[in-house]
Amino acid sequence: MDMKMVSRIAHGTVLAAVLAGGCSDDGGTGAGTQNVDTTAQTTDTSGATQSPGPTSNPDPTGSSDGTQSGGQTTTTSEPDPTAGPTTTPPTSTTSTTTTATATTSPDTTTTTNATASSTTGDETTGGVNNVVRFVVLGDVGEGNEDQYQVADAIIAVCEQRGCDWAMLTGDNFYDSGVDGVDDPQWQEKFELPYMGITFPIYAVLGNHDYGGNGIGVDFDTSKSDYQVEYTQHSELWRMPDKYYSWKQAHAEFWGLDTNQVMTDPFNGSSDDQQAWLDQTLAASTATWKIAFGHHPYLSNGEHGNAGDYEDLEGIPLPFVAGENVKEFMEESVCGKIDVYICGHDHTMQWLQAQCGTEFIVAGAGSKANGLPGNNPQHFQVPEMEGFTWVELNDNSFTGVIFDKNGNELYSRTFSK
């Protein structure tokens, strides 16, 4: 009997006793100080060896036609190139800019299949090939003033810089997800705050979306399914499945269900998801491979690093330390995904690259917390809501972190 099975059996002995208790995941608000690096750095990112895997496709424009294949959903916005090895571990050249007052620290899917119509080129840049632009934010599901402010800032930045879509890194609805596609929270915490946005918003699931008041496990096992289903009821919302991928220009994107990984086996085994990720990564010929999910691998926020997460205020659930997430990341993300972006911690961070992958935390879409951790980082800001804007321009990745008022706090560019 392997260790994962032993762990699954152990987990089952304590779940029922704590489901009713829930957990809190509150965040503070207000301005704070930033910790950044002010010198250019050289980091390493790596690609993957590729072999065939299942694909299917959501178009960033929201249109859909075609055929179905595989057990996951992928999106194509130009013809898929021939599968085969396309990347080798490159040396990255990096430039950084900080425009906020700062202190310096060392810089050291599985149930739905769909295929979408294809377009060639970047739809927000006059058809320029090999340019993709998007924003990332997470932990947004409050419907509060800060969420509206961040949304207004996104609209302004995207009008100026261009955006193909947005990504939500989970915890889309506090405190226990939604109760159906007609839940009033869809209006209060999504449609109304983002009504001025004109591009699709791709989302993944967080622990609060699965219910249990943040435990990530609920007696209503359909809570996560409601968010997938709502894709058919909204012009903005995109969650074609609980985990999925799509392609645009020279990049490929993977939306991961890290709560399934963390709570395995209570929300089903994550083995299929990991096999799907391994296969699709191996088959990818994209220049850039970007993944987003809810839980961090590395974070200086209050939740901390995978394998060493907080204990949810003493609730005795064995999985809460995130050992499953740590194992998943080290086996299937490290050195295979170029950049992994997450939430969970209500902060904005750009950690120093580890294990061949860049790690960004973008979990301050509606509330913000402190930064007690000490992982080496390029930039971090506590107690400040905001988002990250990204441009993939040929072989360069540029990330710009903005606060909720649209002020640029930090910019960094690195090349493969």
Side-chain angles (χ1 to χ4, degrees), residues 88-407:
T88 56
T91 299
S92 302
T93 55
T94 307
S95 64
T96 62
T97 304
T98 305
T99 55
T101 303
T103 57
T104 303
S105 63
D107 187 52
T108 38
T109 59
T110 6
T111 58
T112 305
N113 302 287
T115 325
S117 58
S118 298
T119 58
T120 302
D122 177 16
E123 297 166 300
T124 66
T125 55
V128 178
N129 288 319
N130 291 348
V131 178
V132 181
R133 296 167 178 153
F134 57 93
V135 292
V136 192
L137 64 160
D139 301 78
V140 300
E142 290 285 358
N144 60 10
E145 181 179 352
D146 291 317
Q147 185 179 1
Y148 277 85
Q149 283 187 266
V150 172
D152 289 343
I154 287 172
I155 293 168
V157 168
C158 288
E159 285 179 350
Q160 180 183 24
R161 293 173 177 252
C163 294
D164 292 293
W165 59 75
M167 294 175 175
L168 298 183
T169 62
D171 279 2
N172 308 309
F173 298 93
Y174 291 104
D175 285 314
S176 289
V178 292
D179 293 326
V181 297
D182 297 322
D183 192 316
Q185 291 183 96
W186 284 108
Q187 293 297 316
E188 298 164 1
K189 300 177 181 180
F190 180 74
E191 298 290 351
L192 292 176
Y194 303 122
M195 66 183 300
I197 289 178
T198 59
F199 43 80
I201 301 177
Y202 288 89
V204 292
L205 297 160
N207 51 296
H208 281 273
D209 299 312
Y210 268 89
N213 198 31
I215 290 176
V217 182
D218 198 280
F219 288 118
D220 182 355
T221 58
S222 297
K223 279 187 172 288
S224 56
D225 297 320
Y226 302 144
Q227 295 198 27
V228 175
E229 185 182 351
Y230 190 70
T231 302
Q232 306 301 319
H233 299 265
S234 175
E235 295 182 1
L236 289 179
W237 181 266
R238 298 290 186 273
M239 188 186 288
D241 224 316
K242 294 179 184 179
Y243 52 90
Y244 58 98
S245 65
W246 76 94
K247 303 169 186 176
Q248 171 104 349
H250 62 319
E252 190 161 358
F253 302 85
W254 285 262
L256 305 179
D257 183 359
T258 61
N259 189 70
Q260 183 193 60
V261 176
M262 182 169 174
T263 61
D264 185 339
F266 298 125
N267 292 304
S269 169
S270 60
D271 292 346
D272 287 347
Q273 180 178 182
Q274 187 165 10
W276 161 81
L277 179 60
D278 291 342
Q279 291 165 7
T280 53
L281 273 171
S284 177
T285 60
T287 301
W288 288 102
K289 301 175 179 67
I290 312 294
F292 68 115
H294 185 61
H295 294 85
Y297 176 65
L298 298 174
S299 174
N300 287 331
E302 295 178 0
H303 290 300
N305 298 339
D308 195 31
Y309 294 155
E310 84 300 346
D311 66 355
L312 295 184
E313 300 182 355
I315 294 173
L317 284 175
F319 59 70
V320 298
E323 288 286 352
N324 289 350
V325 176
K326 183 176 186 291
E327 180 181 344
F328 182 95
M329 293 288 174
E330 291 175 350
E331 291 178 355
S332 297
V333 171
C334 283
K336 301 176 182 179
I337 290 290
D338 296 308
V339 183
Y340 174 70
I341 311 175
C342 69
H344 201 44
D345 274 319
H346 307 153
T347 59
M348 296 181 289
Q349 308 170 52
W350 195 328
L351 288 305
Q352 287 194 22
Q354 298 289 332
C355 67
T357 296
E358 297 270 347
F359 295 97
I360 297 174
V361 179
S366 70
K367 53 188 177 181
N369 288 346
L371 288 160
N374 59 4
N375 293 295
Q377 39 77 26
H378 300 292
F379 172 88
Q380 59 184 19
V381 54
E383 307 293 344
M384 174 56 72
E385 296 82 7
F387 63 97
T388 300
W389 177 87
V390 174
E391 179 182 80
L392 306 176
N393 191 337
D394 202 5
N395 291 327
S396 294
F397 179 108
T398 297
V400 185
I401 297 175
F402 291 89
D403 70 14
K404 64 182 178 182
N405 299 310
N407 299 313

